[in-house]
């Protein structure tokens, strides 16, 4: 695994340093680490605190190597993945020795490295705090925490304690400055859901305010959307243990979609366990992404990038844009960059629609057969439209699909989606299958009459690569994405709407 392969001499090969062109002024240096964690052979077996600390320290040793490498590059903040220290698949009892006590403290009141004896059962917090000091950088890590409770609290679990899946933030001097308890647990029976949502933010001298959430949280309103809407955060730190699901929910694809939709920087760190489908991390600005996704290699990856303090892009500005009653033409006149074209002329001979399952959802689709054309497909109250031109015309089947209903497998949430996908083979029922490679490039304009303002633009190209989604926004009641000149084959172009009120 990485630890063995990544000795000092090879250190440079084990991470990539990327700088955005332009001035470092107005930028800061961020790092994320995709971590091939050392896992307990059987996480359901009961163990003691000493053995648990032994395993967790192996992971913290790997963190320490990344901190050392990052410090040399002037990194100001580093993010580590969810479950990166203790692992996953525990039971409520078997996770207990892996939990640190997290005292309910105000931000800035405790430095675990310098005040180690203030609280018991805080070994992991202490080591992380010392690592922040060592690297002189902000450090964001995920760990398990416990909080005792008793019968004076009617929600107190019968074993007399809460278990939380918690992100912890230390400042560059090792002080604990923020914590966040995961709200939307993903079948994590070892943990409790906090009774109140944490809207957790922290301030930095180098880039202002950051917001925090974890993995599955990215699909829900609380706390993800309320943080960007009501707390004015410009940067998100996002530890995850995300299992990819194509064509719409690959980790890097959705991370980028969130950054673009909300005009924020997203620092996303995933675990690296390809055998569980876990890979895909990145530093995403609304304009550009730096990512890692590798299902073949067992290596982790440290990504370092210089990114803007004030992210800008085409995404949702709360009082500026959003669903509007203005006609597309009025908006075009206001925005000279909108390249507003005449609406396409609908051919009356639409190809026949069909149904196929995509990520457990029953999509309605139409095949994309021609070299160029205009298509429409509707389901429930959502109609999706596509105006396309194919540059290379292979025999590969593509389809335009729509879904407007409650998703109910592996989580319950209401989705409104318009998706142009490459199918797995020549038959209709392969549309929605997980594929990663494509050769056909397209120019396209994709749009739909969504009932929600929350639409995430997704654009995935051949070999799990990302390209900037081009032009986006509302034209009247239609949300659109327009993209020309893809540099590699199209795997998925989608507008993934979340209609939170209908969950
Ligand atoms: C976790 O549980 C899943 C489902 O039960 C199983 O497929 C997987 O192998 C387990 N992973 C580990 C690391 O134990
Ligand atoms: C129960 O917990 C509350 C809050 O932590 C504490 O103030 C109280 O003393 C505890 N009561 C008992 C009987 O332990
Ligand atoms: C440590 O960092 C925190 C948060 O930035 C700051 O409030 C505090 O003053 C610092 N403490 C010292 C001793 O520099
Ligand atoms: C949104 O409103 C705030 C405060 O009312 C203002 O400072 C800001 O410029 C507005 N943004 C846009 C895009 O209109
Ligand atoms: C998908 O939806 C269509 C139309 O509602 C229905 O006819 C078809 O049986 C559904 N397919 C599946 C697999 O549920
Ligand atoms: C979307 O357009 C279709 C077709 O014009 C229409 O039936 C549907 O009501 C529209 N949905 C909304 C939310 O306006």
């Amino acid at each position: 695994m990485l630890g063995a392969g990544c000795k000092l001499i090879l250190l440079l090969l084990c991470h990539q340093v990327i700088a955005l062109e332009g001035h470092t002024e107005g930028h800061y240096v961020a790092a994320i680490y995709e971590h091939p964690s050392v896992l307990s052979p059987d996480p359901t077996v009961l163990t003691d605190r000493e053995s648990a600390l032994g395993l967790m320290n192996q992971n913290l040793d790997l963190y320490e190597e990344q901190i050392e490498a990052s410090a040399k590059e002037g990194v100001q903040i580093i993010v580590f993945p969810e479950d990166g220290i203790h692992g996953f698949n525990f039971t409520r009892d078997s996770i207990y020795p892996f939990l640190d006590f997290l005292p309910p403290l105000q931000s800035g009141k405790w430095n675990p490295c310098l005040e180690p004896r203030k609280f018991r059962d805080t070994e992991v917090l202490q080591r992380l705090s010392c690592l922040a000091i060592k690297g002189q950088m902000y450090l964001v890590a995920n760990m398990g925490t416990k909080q005792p409770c008793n019968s004076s609290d009617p929600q107190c679990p019968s074993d007399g304690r809460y278990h939380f899946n918690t992100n912890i933030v230390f400042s560059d001097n090792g002080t604990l400055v923020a914590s966040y308890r995961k709200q939307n647990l993903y079948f994590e029976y070892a943990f409790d859901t906090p009774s109140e949502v944490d809207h957790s933010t922290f301030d930095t001298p180098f880039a202002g305010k950051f917001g925090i959430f974890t993995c599955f949280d990215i699909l829900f309103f609380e706390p993800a959307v309320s943080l960007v809407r009501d707390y004015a955060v410009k940067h998100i730190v996002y530890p995850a243990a995300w299992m990819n699901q194509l064509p719409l929910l690959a980790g890097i694809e959705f991370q980028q979609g969130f950054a673009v939709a909300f005009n924020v920087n997203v620092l996303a760190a995933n675990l690296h366990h390809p055998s569980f489908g876990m890979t895909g991390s990145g530093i995403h600005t609304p304009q550009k992404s730096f990512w890692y996704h590798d299902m073949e290699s067992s290596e982790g990856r440290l990504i370092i990038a210089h990114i803007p303090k004030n992210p800008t892009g085409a995404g949702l500005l709360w009082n500026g844009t959003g669903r509007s009653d203005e006609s597309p033409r009025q908006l075009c006149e206001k925005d000279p960059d909108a390249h507003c074209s005449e609406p396409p002329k609908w051919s009356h001979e639409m190809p026949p629609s069909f149904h196929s399952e995509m990520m457990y959802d029953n999509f309605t689709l139409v095949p994309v057969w021609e070299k160029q054309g205009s298509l429409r497909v509707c389901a429930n109250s959502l109609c999706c439209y596509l105006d396309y031109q194919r540059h290379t015309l292979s025999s590969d089947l593509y389809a335009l699909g729509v879904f407007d209903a409650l998703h109910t497998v592996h989580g319950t949430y209401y989705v409104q989606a318009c998706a142009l996908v490459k199918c797995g083979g020549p038959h209709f029922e392969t549309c929605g299958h997980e594929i990663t490679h494509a050769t056909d490039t397209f120019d396209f304009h994709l749009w739909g009459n969504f009932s929600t303002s929350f639409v995430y633009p997704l654009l995935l190209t051949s070999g799990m690569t990302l390209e900037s989604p081009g032009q986006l926004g509302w034209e009247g009641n239609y949300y659109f994405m327009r993209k020309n000149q893809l540099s590699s084959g199209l795997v998925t172009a989608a507008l993934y709407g979340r209609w939170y009120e209908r969950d």
Side-chain angles (χ1 to χ4, degrees):
M1 296 270 248
L2 183 79
C6 194
K7 295 270 156 49
L8 262 182
I9 301 166
L10 292 177
L11 206 54
L12 275 176
L13 299 178
C14 294
H15 71 273
Q16 57 188 47
V17 181
I18 316 155
L20 271 185
E21 294 119 50
H23 333 283
T24 37
E25 199 183 308
H27 288 65
Y28 68 102
V29 191
I32 60 94
Y33 179 52
E34 179 159 312
H35 176 46
S37 59
V38 180
L39 294 171
S40 150
D42 184 353
T44 61
V45 168
L46 296 186
T47 180
D48 55 22
R49 176 72 173 165
E50 201 186 323
S51 314
L53 285 171
L55 179 92
M56 293 193 286
N57 275 316
Q58 291 180 52
N59 284 309
L60 289 164
D61 290 346
L62 295 176
Y63 284 20
E64 186 158 1
E65 291 178 12
Q66 311 314 314
I67 300 264
E68 286 165 356
S70 300
K72 294 198 183 97
E73 307 296 338
V75 165
Q76 291 161 294
I77 182 166
I78 186 165
V79 183
F80 292 101
E82 184 187 24
D83 299 340
I85 300 172
H86 57 273
F88 44 86
N89 274 12
F90 293 95
T91 67
R92 186 170 179 89
D93 289 330
S94 71
I95 202 162
Y96 186 68
F98 292 84
L99 306 178
D100 264 34
F101 171 61
L102 179 64
L105 284 177
Q106 269 182 288
S107 164
K109 295 292 179 211
W110 183 36
N111 187 311
C113 186
L114 304 181
E115 304 162 274
R117 267 171 287 280
K118 202 158 169 176
F119 304 100
R120 293 183 48 183
D121 284 347
T122 55
E123 290 88 341
V124 175
L125 288 162
Q126 289 167 35
R127 186 148 182 217
L128 288 168
S129 163
C130 294
L131 290 179
I133 294 175
K134 181 171 190 182
Q136 291 180 281
M137 65 186 71
Y138 277 65
L139 187 160
V140 182
N142 172 274
M143 59 191 284
T145 63
K146 61 183 175 184
Q147 194 186 307
C149 55
N150 60 36
S151 53
S152 72
D153 170 0
Q155 274 153 16
C156 181
S158 57
D159 51 12
R161 63 202 187 225
Y162 289 105
H163 294 180
F164 294 119
N165 173 336
T166 307
N167 298 335
I168 304 285
V169 185
F170 297 95
S171 84
D172 55 2
N173 64 25
T175 301
L176 183 67
V177 291
S179 65
Y180 165 74
R181 300 168 304 168
K182 187 179 185 184
Q183 185 66 32
N184 301 283
L185 294 170
Y186 188 77
F187 306 99
E188 296 163 72
Y189 304 111
F191 290 114
D192 299 304
T193 301
S195 55
E196 284 177 18
V197 180
D198 288 344
H199 292 110
S200 187
T201 65
F202 60 98
D203 263 307
T204 64
F206 54 85
K209 204 193 262 186
F210 285 70
I212 314 170
F213 55 84
T214 309
C215 204
F216 200 37
D217 284 333
I218 203 168
L219 291 179
F220 298 90
F221 190 86
E222 289 291 1
V225 178
S226 62
L227 275 177
V228 286
R229 191 187 64 175
D230 303 331
Y231 293 78
V233 303
K234 291 184 289 190
H235 317 273
I236 300 290
V237 291
Y238 177 58
W242 183 278
M243 288 174 280
N244 292 306
Q245 191 166 31
L246 288 161
L248 305 181
L249 290 179
I252 54 171
E253 181 186 24
F254 210 85
Q255 294 155 17
Q256 183 193 42
F258 195 92
V260 171
F262 292 124
N263 264 320
V264 292
N265 294 328
V266 175
L267 316 185
N270 197 2
L271 287 178
H272 188 76
H273 290 293
S275 60
F276 300 123
M278 291 177 184
T279 179
S281 304
I283 296 179
H284 307 269
T285 78
Q287 315 248 5
K288 198 167 166 67
S289 286
F290 306 95
W291 72 90
Y292 177 63
H293 177 108
D294 194 336
M295 287 294 285
E296 311 299 322
S297 162
S298 59
E299 300 275 300
R301 178 66 60 91
L302 177 66
I303 298 178
I304 298 174
H306 295 244
I307 58 172
K309 293 177 184 185
N310 289 302
T312 54
L316 192 60
L317 304 171
W318 293 108
N319 43 1
T321 58
R323 278 166 60 78
S324 129
D325 294 330
E326 288 177 284
S327 73
R329 183 160 303 280
Q330 283 169 305
L331 290 173
C332 291
E333 281 163 6
K334 271 198 215 159
D335 178 3
D337 291 332
H339 293 278
C340 297
S341 52
E342 287 299 312
K345 314 271 181 294
W346 300 112
S347 84
H348 290 287
E349 290 165 49
M350 283 286 158
S353 72
F354 61 95
H355 295 277
S356 184
E357 195 173 279
M358 195 185 304
M359 301 176 9
Y360 307 101
D361 293 329
N362 185 0
F363 272 69
T364 307
L365 304 103
V366 288
V368 177
W369 268 330
E370 310 292 332
K371 185 144 199 313
Q372 62 183 55
S374 298
L375 294 170
R376 180 177 83 158
V377 64
C378 302
N380 292 337
S381 67
L382 177 63
C383 282
C384 301
Y385 303 83
L386 175 72
D387 207 6
Y388 69 96
Q389 178 156 25
R390 261 167 110 153
H391 295 298
T392 42
L393 188 57
S394 71
S395 57
D396 291 344
L397 177 63
Y398 279 80
L400 173 68
V402 60
F403 181 73
D404 178 11
L406 193 66
H407 172 94
T408 55
V409 179
H410 302 159
T412 301
Y413 42 92
Y414 199 100
V415 175
Q416 280 200 315
C418 293
L420 168 61
V421 294
K422 184 189 163 194
C423 306
H427 303 296
F428 286 169
E429 67 271 17
T430 67
C431 298
H433 284 188
E434 304 205 44
I435 59 114
T436 55
H437 286 80
T439 53
D440 289 16
T441 55
F442 281 75
D443 286 351
F444 65 84
H445 180 189
L446 174 66
W447 70 106
N449 64 346
F450 292 85
S451 301
T452 171
S453 313
F454 302 99
V455 182
Y456 300 90
L458 309 178
L459 182 56
L460 194 61
T461 44
S462 190
M464 295 303 292
T465 55
L466 298 174
E467 290 187 33
S468 142
Q471 291 175 334
L472 305 158
W474 290 96
E475 284 177 348
N477 287 326
Y478 297 90
Y479 189 82
F480 74 93
M481 162 161 60
R482 208 183 268 117
K483 178 76 183 173
N484 295 327
Q485 293 171 335
L486 281 179
S487 46
S488 50
L490 181 69
V491 172
T492 303
L495 301 172
Y496 188 95
R498 276 285 289 114
W499 196 348
Y500 300 109
E501 294 89 343
R502 298 197 57 178
D503 284 0

